[in-house]
Amino acid sequence: MAGAAIFDVDGTLTDTNHLHVVAWWEAFRQAGHTVPMPDIHRAVGLGSGDLIEWLLGSDRDRDQDSAISSAHKVLYGTYFDRLPAFEGAGDLLRTLAENGWRVVLATSASGSELTALRRAVDADEAIRATASSDDVDEGKPSPEPVRLALELAGADAGQAVFVGDTVWDMEAASRAGVRTVALLSGGIPRADLVRAGADVVFQDVAELLARLDESPFGSPPV
């Protein structure tokens, strides 16, 4: 089987985590909730429903969930024409594809948001497939998105590497039995990422690309 290089997008390939924080903060504010931004930051990477539950609790007024999620989508959508990719993001994906890795995205984004993110990364020729929130019943930290990415890549867990920036990424990949590379570019502390299952940690995609031979991508996929 071929090797799979599975990537989260927000905070990993694109510098968008804090845009999500601001959009979620305003969406909560419009619904009458004061949610500290550091708390929202730690929840970024969860699907919308899980993020709302994580921050507001199970005893919240669930009738607000749809309005809060919709408000976040509208607010975040105002950035779609200028979402920033991290330096080296596209080059990393192209290099891995050229080295024989099957690149798959595993992200909670979908629809027009995912289209905008892919446009920002500008490496569609290197991306074999995408496992989005529309394709799974449960998002990260469930292993389901990672397992779907493996299926799309035609790879087994032992021949795959997952790259992400949140504890949810590390937990999902670890539960799927996949090696993990954590990046600090999403703003989550190194210790939290290691505790969640990160095998190795780099600053960002640019450092990972520069030190590719020292990473789990250093050996060509089988």
Side-chain angles (χ1 to χ4, degrees), residues 50-131:
D50 291 334
L51 182 145
I52 293 169
E53 175 139 358
W54 179 269
L55 292 168
L56 297 186
S58 58
D59 59 347
R60 70 192 183 281
D61 178 3
R62 295 175 183 269
D63 290 340
Q64 289 188 321
D65 285 10
S66 179
I68 293 171
S69 180
S70 295
H72 165 262
K73 288 180 180 179
V74 171
L75 291 160
Y76 184 68
T78 63
Y79 300 110
F80 279 2
D81 63 346
R82 56 195 186 279
L83 295 179
F86 284 115
E87 180 181 356
D91 290 337
L92 174 60
L93 300 191
R94 283 186 286 270
T95 297
L96 290 172
E98 290 167 2
N99 290 349
W101 293 87
R102 295 182 177 179
V103 177
V104 179
L105 306 182
T107 173
S108 58
S110 62
S112 58
E113 178 184 346
L114 180 56
T115 298
L117 290 167
R118 290 185 64 149
R119 184 170 60 245
V121 175
D122 192 23
D124 273 357
E125 71 277 15
I127 300 170
R128 177 174 291 261
T130 300

Side-chain angles (χ1 to χ4, degrees), residues 129-185:
T130 300
S132 77
S133 60
D134 288 338
D135 305 316
V136 295
D137 293 324
E138 292 186 76
K140 307 166 197 171
S142 163
E144 186 178 352
V146 181
R147 288 173 178 160
L148 175 58
L150 291 172
E151 181 181 336
L152 293 170
D156 63 31
Q159 295 167 311
V161 180
F162 185 96
V163 183
D165 69 294
T166 69
V167 295
W168 321 116
D169 292 328
M170 299 302 105
E171 290 179 7
S174 296
R175 291 175 183 177
V178 173
R179 290 173 292 171
T180 54
V181 173
L183 303 181
L184 299 176
S185 49

Side-chain angles (χ1 to χ4, degrees), residues 167-219:
V167 295
W168 321 116
D169 292 328
M170 299 302 105
E171 290 179 7
S174 296
R175 291 175 183 177
V178 173
R179 290 173 292 171
T180 54
V181 173
L183 303 181
L184 299 176
S185 49
I188 301 302
R190 178 187 297 266
D192 291 353
L193 295 167
V194 171
R195 192 178 304 115
D199 294 315
V200 61
V201 182
F202 292 93
Q203 183 63 40
D204 51 27
V205 285
E207 185 185 18
L208 175 56
L209 178 59
R211 299 174 59 190
L212 208 56
D213 289 344
E214 304 170 42
S215 78
F217 294 114
S219 300

